[in-house]
Amino acid sequence: MYQPIKPLVGKVQPTMYDLPSDYPEDSGLPDEFHLYQPQVLSQTCQPPNYPSDRIFIASDLNLYYDLDHLNWYKRPDWFVVVDGTRLYRDREMRQSYVLWDEGKSPLLVVELISEGTEAEDLGRNVRKLGSPPTKWEVYEQILQVPHYITFDERNSEFRKFRWQNGKYTEQDREAARFWVEELQLGLGIWHGFYQGIESDWLRWYDANNVWLPTQEEQIAQERQRTEQERQRAEQEQQKVEMLKAQLRALGVEPEV
């Protein structure tokens, strides 16, 4: 697992306030899938073994990992850190995630494969001399992220890698579900509608193999409960009125 970087004598350790949250050369706004899929993951990631204030979830956020190269960073499509803090220093939202400041590596990273990113996401490209480590090298060798997931929405290819004995070992490639013991949750392919779009989505499920609800579904469920309660109240009122009518037919005036 990731070991916090020890402070170096006489060396200033910058925090998120000192490092850029983005760069002009970044590609800008994501496509719709890269916008919505992280939302599905974030909304359904509800670990029962951690309180919400001890879980940090992020998407498309700069992750700084090398104190000696402050312009090196990765920007995972989605990641989760557990047993840390939801807010930076328990008081504000993060501008970036700085490993030597936070002292804790992500538990799980998801990369959404798109045109031109497959080699980088799956560790097939070779690091050029003098260039930053590849994404695969950072996750596997530097951060040692326990679980690395890739998902290609073009063909719904769901690949799962677990960190074992110093490297990533691919898990069952054909399996549509993957259990993450540390979260007491599983990640799987769900086919359905999100934001009015029917597609295959990565989504979290619980120990009973039940998909955890998105915000859309939570709102719909609450509306359904409210409507059911309204109908029950109307039915009870109708029963009361019928009983009153029966009593009046018998010459008894019911109490209000």
Side-chain angles (χ1 to χ4, degrees):
M1 297 297 293
Y2 174 79
Q3 297 297 318
I5 297 175
K6 296 180 181 179
L8 300 177
V9 176
K11 187 175 181 66
V12 176
Q13 289 187 286
T15 69
M16 72 173 189
Y17 302 109
D18 308 303
L19 299 169
S21 59
D22 56 15
Y23 280 92
E25 62 266 26
D26 284 344
S27 57
L29 294 175
D31 57 46
E32 281 197 291
F33 183 73
H34 280 72
L35 176 66
Y36 293 137
Q37 175 62 90
Q39 292 178 10
V40 176
L41 289 169
S42 297
Q43 292 173 16
T44 61
C45 188
Q46 304 163 27
N49 52 341
Y50 289 99
S52 60
D53 62 352
R54 305 300 296 174
I55 303 169
F56 175 64
I57 294 172
S59 61
D60 203 29
L61 186 76
N62 283 6
L63 189 156
Y64 290 92
Y65 57 88
D66 193 324
L67 185 57
D68 293 321
H69 297 86
L70 299 181
N71 62 332
W72 288 4
Y73 70 97
K74 297 303 176 188
R75 201 174 175 96
D77 287 322
W78 190 90
F79 67 92
V80 57
V81 182
V82 297
D83 202 22
T85 59
R86 167 63 187 85
L87 296 175
Y88 180 66
R89 297 179 180 175
D90 283 323
R91 64 174 183 262
E92 61 185 302
M93 293 186 289
R94 289 175 174 83
Q95 300 170 18
S96 57
Y97 195 84
V98 182
L99 265 297
W100 56 84
D101 190 24
E102 303 279 0
K104 204 163 192 63
S105 179
L107 171 71
L108 182 143
V109 168
V110 176
E111 291 289 357
L112 306 174
I113 293 176
S114 55
E115 195 69 38
T117 70
E118 186 170 358
E120 170 77 5
D121 292 337
L122 293 174
R124 295 172 183 166
N125 53 352
V126 179
R127 179 182 181 182
K128 297 178 181 179
L129 186 64
S131 64
T134 66
K135 189 179 294 183
W136 186 277
E137 288 174 322
V138 170
Y139 297 158
E140 181 189 60
Q141 300 301 321
I142 298 175
L143 303 185
Q144 299 178 5
V145 175
H147 305 285
Y148 178 49
I149 306 295
T150 67
F151 184 61
D152 190 336
E153 61 102 8
R154 298 169 299 180
N155 55 14
S156 297
E157 186 176 56
F158 175 34
R159 301 185 66 175
K160 296 80 64 180
F161 301 90
R162 196 187 301 274
W163 195 87
Q164 296 173 321
N165 300 318
K167 65 178 182 179
Y168 279 135
T169 302
E170 185 164 14
Q171 307 303 292
D172 185 353
R173 189 164 177 174
E174 302 302 317
R177 295 196 174 200
F178 177 67
W179 185 253
V180 181
E181 186 65 28
E182 297 93 329
L183 293 176
Q184 287 297 292
L185 293 178
L187 191 60
I189 299 176
W190 167 75
H191 186 87
F193 285 88
Y194 181 75
Q195 294 291 337
I197 301 170
E198 183 179 13
S199 184
D200 285 341
W201 306 93
L202 278 188
R203 176 173 178 165
W204 294 96
Y205 61 90
D206 65 16
N208 296 316
N209 288 321
V210 176
W211 298 113
L212 292 165
T214 64
Q215 289 182 359
E216 285 183 330
E217 292 167 342
Q218 290 176 356
I219 292 171
Q221 290 169 4
E222 184 58 35
R223 286 174 178 167
Q224 184 178 31
R225 282 193 293 268
T226 300
E227 177 61 20
Q228 290 172 344
E229 291 172 1
R230 185 188 66 79
Q231 291 178 359
R232 281 196 295 268
E234 286 183 352
Q235 290 169 358
E236 290 300 319
Q237 185 60 35
Q238 289 172 359
K239 289 178 182 178
V240 170
E241 295 301 326
M242 289 177 61
L243 180 59
K244 288 180 177 179
Q246 291 171 356
L247 290 173
R248 291 191 182 100
L250 295 173
V252 177
E253 184 61 30
E255 296 181 2
V256 178

